[in-house]
Amino acid sequence: MPAFATADEVTEAARSALPTELWDYVSGGGGTEITLRRNRSALDSVCFRPRVARDVSDTRADTTVLGIECSAPVLLAPIGTIGLFDAGGAATCARAAARAGTAAFVSILSTPSLEEVAATGAPLIYQHYTRGSRAWTLDLFRRAEASGYRAICVTVDSPVDGLRERELRHRFDRGKAQAQPNLGRDARRELQAELTWSEIAWLAEQTELPLLLKGVTHPEDAVLALEAGVAALIVSNHGGRQLDAQLGAVEVLPGVVEAVGGRAEVLVDGGFERGGDVVKALALGARAVLIGRAMCLSLAAGGEDTLVETLARLQEEVSRTLALLGVSTPGAVSREYLVGG
Ligand SMILES: Cc1cc2nc3c(=O)[nH]c(=O)nc-3n(C[C@H](O)[C@H](O)[C@H](O)COP(=O)(O)O)c2cc1C
């Protein structure tokens, strides 16, 4: 039996285990947290429209993302401060992903080094923030390639930091909260506000690995991303931590999926807690989802084993939801199975 039977039990255990300022740091969002709440309320407002009497005796949750085999359409999001929730940081997440049969994104800002995380042997995607010179960026791309990362993801929703009022209240300094071994001496302290589409096209040319963009929400930006040579998009508002007062991620997902028109894989994150949430995203055209806070809270509640349990629970819930909907594979669900959204 898993130590925690439901997502809520994990959240409650994490809340008791974390100091208030860390709980507020991880669970909070930008501004007055409208985007944060909207991610969740948008998911809740989509309803299923099931079909019955179909043979669902062989329902499966597994899929592929950029050719990487995943036991369920659920990947681990990049979290720069993951070391605050488990001393092993991104290496613990990578091990949990490998045990659960899925892939993990590794933030440039996380601990330990990219190479140490890669030594776990898990399928990994390196998440980059442009905040240094081109030479500095290329050095990080080469390090990710040399240590076996399967793709590179550039997060584009953070030209400057979001204004997080809960962090301000606690005088919480993210930069000081943990070491950032990947940045090196040549990195700038601040994010790179001058990033443009021509630079993204240049970045896509600098690696043989597929390039993902994380943080696209506008259909016209999705088209610009494809023109720039991007292989996959992550529809994301950074879990509501950057620009406040946006639509929920699953509300903007269909517009991006339509603009992409099958030319690239589209992932999504923001507010995903249960298998039913994941299936809603699939029905709206996503290939898979990323979990951020659910991962941090699992680590805080019970470390690597609890994160493996969370991933196993999500896999089981995805396949149970698909069966209850009357479909047998993640690829078979579509908007026909939804009302709203
Ligand atoms: C504590 C924390 C740190 C994060 N750090 C990063 C980061 O370094 N890079 C990045 O692209 N996104 C970062 N994110 C955003 C997540 O990758 C992801 O987009 C978001 O958490 C998804 O929403 P969810 O937490 O509701 O699942 C962070 C999110 C949290 C909660």
Side-chain angles (χ1 to χ4, degrees):
M1 268 298 277
F4 301 100
T6 67
D8 287 345
E9 283 183 17
V10 174
T11 304
E12 282 157 25
R15 186 161 197 165
S16 327
L18 289 171
T20 312
E21 76 165 19
L22 252 192
W23 166 261
D24 274 345
Y25 165 67
V26 65
S27 54
T32 53
E33 304 187 342
I34 295 168
T35 310
L36 174 71
R37 287 192 295 276
R38 185 98 181 197
N39 276 343
R40 195 52 248 170
S41 63
L43 272 165
D44 291 338
S45 71
V46 177
C47 290
F48 288 123
R49 214 169 146 233
R51 300 298 306 268
V52 295
R54 294 177 166 185
D55 181 356
V56 288
S57 54
D58 186 24
T59 303
R60 314 167 51 116
D62 61 298
T63 188
T64 61
V65 172
L66 291 169
I68 304 170
E69 286 177 14
C70 301
S71 55
V74 181
L75 288 78
L76 298 181
I79 302 286
T81 46
I82 195 68
L84 299 177
F85 305 97
D86 183 280
T92 303
C93 301
R95 273 191 297 274
R99 284 171 61 192
T102 192
F105 286 73
V106 180
S107 168
I108 180 177
L109 302 179
S110 60
T111 52
S113 69
L114 295 183
E115 290 78 7
E116 285 168 270
V117 183
T120 60
L124 300 173
I125 297 171
Y126 164 59
Q127 181 261 315
H128 186 76
Y129 279 124
T130 51
R131 53 193 282 177
S133 65
R134 280 182 162 185
W136 172 85
T137 286
L138 288 183
D139 180 53
L140 279 149
F141 278 25
R142 297 292 92 84
R143 284 175 55 191
E145 290 162 353
S147 42
Y149 283 73
R150 309 281 285 271
I152 294 179
C153 165
V154 177
T155 297
V156 291
D157 58 16
S158 306
V160 297
D161 268 330
L163 192 70
R164 312 211 184 116
E165 294 189 12
R166 290 205 223 187
E167 287 176 31
L168 293 173
R169 207 179 307 141
H170 290 295
R171 284 28 176 196
F172 186 81
D173 184 346
R174 257 172 276 159
K176 290 210 181 113
Q178 68 158 33
Q180 294 173 329
N182 295 315
L183 284 183
R185 266 182 296 136
D186 297 337
R188 307 182 335 180
R189 172 84 175 82
E190 74 276 18
L191 299 162
Q192 194 156 310
E194 61 265 35
L195 183 67
T196 59
W197 287 108
S198 61
E199 191 68 6
I200 291 167
W202 181 83
L203 290 170
E205 283 168 9
Q206 304 311 311
T207 179
E208 296 290 311
L209 294 177
L211 190 81
L212 295 87
L213 285 194
K214 176 169 179 283
V216 173
T217 55
H218 198 296
E220 288 177 18
D221 281 342
V223 172
L224 290 170
L226 294 180
E227 286 169 9
V230 166
L233 296 175
I234 305 171
V235 173
S236 172
N237 52 42
H238 218 99
R241 296 169 78 80
Q242 289 294 107
L243 179 67
D244 199 18
Q246 294 188 67
L247 291 173
V250 294
E251 289 173 284
V252 294
L253 172 65
V256 170
V257 168
E258 194 186 339
V260 167
R263 289 173 286 169
E265 291 182 3
V266 179
L267 313 183
V268 62
D269 72 18
F272 289 88
E273 293 170 347
R274 290 178 171 74
D277 301 333
V278 178
V279 174
K280 289 176 184 177
L282 301 179
L284 293 169
R287 182 88 187 170
V289 315
L290 276 55
I291 55 166
R293 292 184 184 83
M295 165 172 75
C296 300
L297 299 181
S298 297
L299 290 182
E304 181 182 325
D305 286 347
T306 299
L307 180 52
V308 174
E309 278 177 23
T310 293
L311 288 167
R313 182 174 48 72
L314 285 164
Q315 179 190 356
E316 194 280 328
E317 288 176 3
V318 166
S319 102
R320 184 184 297 269
T321 305
L322 290 174
L324 289 169
L325 263 185
V327 292
S328 300
T329 61
V333 71
S334 68
R335 288 185 82 157
E336 290 291 299
Y337 295 86
L338 297 182
V339 193

